[in-house]
Amino acid sequence: MTDKRSQRAADRTEAIMRTTLELGQEIGYAKLSIEAVAARAGAGKHTIYRRWPSKGALLLDSLLSLNEAGLDYPDTGDIVADLRVQIHAAVDLLARPPFGPLFQALIGEAQHEPQVAAALNERFIAPQADKTVARLRAARDQGQLSPQFDLELAMAILSGPLYFQLLITQEPLTHEYVDRILDALFTGIGPTQAY
Amino acid sequence: MTDKRSQRAADRTEAIMRTTLELGQEIGYAKLSIEAVAARAGAGKHTIYRRWPSKGALLLDSLLSLNEAGLDYPDTGDIVADLRVQIHAAVDLLARPPFGPLFQALIGEAQHEPQVAAALNERFIAPQADKTVARLRAARDQGQLSPQFDLELAMAILSGPLYFQLLITQEPLTHEYVDRILDALFTGIGPTQAY
């Protein structure tokens, strides 16, 4: 493939994902369809299906494309500060307007559509879990975590309370809420004391 | 209302909720309808709508009717043991077969239907939060919790990791998983030490 052709393919991909987000915001997840995205983006329906098997997979990639680098963890040597920066960025991107309602609808769909659940886990949860565990392992090696903390549970414990707010109580996910949760999780519920 | 009439009304309510669960298991949440429940239960459609405004509200009540008392907290004086007993019971009822898939679908629906989300919060989350906070407050008074632990966050922190497993990774919710989460939450992520 020449550079020009590969550039054209990248432009087309970008146009399809941008159109997905625009149209999703306008008409909502329920009415969004790959056909409608194809028509507005001036792309072939089969071009889209070749890359994305479902509208859930397409929407998820489109959301993540906005700020993928921003969802990496910094490493300033302060684990709480670094988690805070990363989680604020993730929440700003995914769980608040303008895209929060689309992300929420996507997770709703994942309860009925195993393909969407699989895409969510493969494209977002598993890579985030790997990054989270890597950053926490470094912190543990530096004595910033409880030596017993089970890294396998890290994603469930750190992001579970955020999904609870997004999906169950459906109250706003603010930076202040994230900070309070992090404080509580680092301190623990039990009667413990800092070194 | 005479005792006999009130007994008949209670029997009818019970029959409607039992039918909802039977039919929901057979045909799944998507195909479940108040009309189909009414037909099978031999009840009037309007009788059902008078009490439950949506199939989400009806299903939620039907699920909770199975074991409402079982979702209270014991108070043996050991907060971790008591949480474990209550959460095992909640998970057994709601998040595992036979009813787990219906509860999961209900939460999926709550992402698109504000009425279902409101019913879920009013009928289940808010009462559970009240019970949880009351049990934790007693434990805090007895020195079994960190004095700083923010009781307002209790539901999000305790049940968030369980909803994460149910809704996001969609891996089985086992008693062993609940126990590991409780251990990690009580210890905390940070480098702390028990008194």
Side-chain angles (χ1 to χ4, degrees):
Chain A
M1 204 185 273
T2 65
D3 282 357
K4 214 177 230 173
R5 280 182 63 195
S6 124
Q7 183 56 46
R8 267 210 309 274
D11 289 350
R12 197 164 49 221
T13 296
E14 200 271 326
I16 291 167
M17 296 198 294
R18 199 180 52 236
T19 302
T20 302
L21 293 173
E22 283 170 10
L23 201 57
Q25 279 187 270
E26 283 173 32
I27 63 177
Y29 183 76
K31 293 188 185 150
L32 189 68
S33 70
I34 285 185
E35 286 69 17
V37 170
R40 184 182 290 194
K45 194 171 78 169
H46 296 291
T47 306
I48 300 185
Y49 275 114
R50 252 199 310 277
R51 174 147 183 179
W52 295 281
S54 69
K55 74 167 173 173
L58 171 59
L59 176 59
L60 185 63
D61 272 5
S62 304
L63 286 168
L64 297 181
S65 74
L66 292 172
N67 190 22
E68 220 153 343
L71 300 182
D72 285 344
Y73 286 92
D75 188 348
T76 67
D78 177 344
I79 183 62
V80 178
D82 292 351
L83 285 172
R84 189 178 289 136
V85 165
Q86 195 275 350
I87 298 174
H88 287 181
V91 158
D92 288 348
L93 172 64
L94 292 169
R96 295 166 76 177
F99 299 115
L102 288 174
F103 185 58
Q104 187 186 344
L106 184 76
I107 300 175
E109 184 90 342
Q111 308 317 313
H112 311 287
E113 284 294 331
Q115 264 196 340
V116 173
L120 177 68
N121 276 282
E122 278 170 36
R123 291 278 302 123
F124 182 55
I125 302 298
Q128 285 296 309
D130 289 346
K131 290 177 190 174
T132 304
V133 169
R135 182 66 193 85
L136 287 173
R137 182 169 289 124
R140 196 170 66 180
D141 291 348
Q142 290 162 355
Q144 298 191 0
L145 297 196
S146 161
Q148 301 104 292
F149 183 67
D150 183 344
L151 290 176
E152 263 187 52
L153 301 177
M155 275 297 278
I157 285 180
L158 284 167
S159 58
L162 312 181
Y163 284 104
F164 183 81
Q165 183 96 333
L166 180 71
L167 304 174
I168 307 294
T169 65
Q170 303 190 1
E171 282 163 19
L173 261 175
T174 61
H175 287 194
E176 190 239 347
Y177 178 79
V178 171
D179 296 348
R180 287 169 62 202
I181 292 285
L182 279 176
D183 279 353
L185 290 176
F186 269 75
T187 305
I189 302 178
T192 56
Q193 194 178 35
Y195 282 118
Chain B
M1 204 185 275
T2 66
D3 281 359
K4 213 178 230 173
R5 280 184 62 197
S6 126
Q7 183 57 46
R8 266 209 311 273
D11 288 350
R12 197 163 49 221
T13 296
E14 200 270 325
I16 290 168
M17 295 198 295
R18 198 181 54 236
T19 303
T20 302
L21 294 173
E22 281 171 12
L23 202 57
Q25 278 186 272
E26 284 173 33
I27 63 178
Y29 184 76
K31 292 188 186 152
L32 189 67
S33 70
I34 284 186
E35 286 69 18
V37 170
R40 185 181 293 193
K45 196 171 78 171
H46 296 293
T47 306
I48 300 185
Y49 274 113
R50 252 199 311 278
R51 174 148 184 179
W52 295 281
S54 69
K55 75 166 173 173
L58 172 59
L59 176 59
L60 186 61
D61 271 5
S62 305
L63 287 168
L64 297 181
S65 73
L66 291 173
N67 190 22
E68 222 154 340
L71 299 183
D72 285 344
Y73 286 92
D75 187 349
T76 66
D78 177 343
I79 183 61
V80 178
D82 292 351
L83 285 171
R84 187 178 291 136
V85 165
Q86 195 276 349
I87 298 173
H88 286 180
V91 158
D92 288 349
L93 172 64
L94 292 169
R96 296 167 73 178
F99 300 115
L102 287 175
F103 185 59
Q104 187 185 345
L106 184 76
I107 301 175
E109 184 90 341
Q111 308 317 313
H112 311 287
E113 285 293 331
Q115 265 196 340
V116 174
L120 177 68
N121 277 283
E122 277 169 37
R123 289 279 302 122
F124 182 56
I125 301 298
Q128 284 297 307
D130 290 345
K131 290 177 190 175
T132 304
V133 168
R135 183 64 194 85
L136 287 173
R137 182 171 289 124
R140 197 171 64 181
D141 292 347
Q142 291 163 354
Q144 298 190 1
L145 297 197
S146 161
Q148 302 104 293
F149 182 66
D150 183 346
L151 290 176
E152 264 187 52
L153 301 176
M155 275 297 278
I157 286 180
L158 284 167
S159 58
L162 311 181
Y163 284 104
F164 183 81
Q165 184 96 335
L166 180 71
L167 304 174
I168 307 293
T169 65
Q170 303 190 1
E171 283 164 18
L173 261 174
T174 61
H175 288 195
E176 190 239 346
Y177 178 78
V178 171
D179 297 348
R180 286 170 63 202
I181 291 285
L182 279 175
D183 279 353
L185 290 176
F186 269 76
T187 306
I189 303 177
T192 55
Q193 194 176 36
Y195 281 120

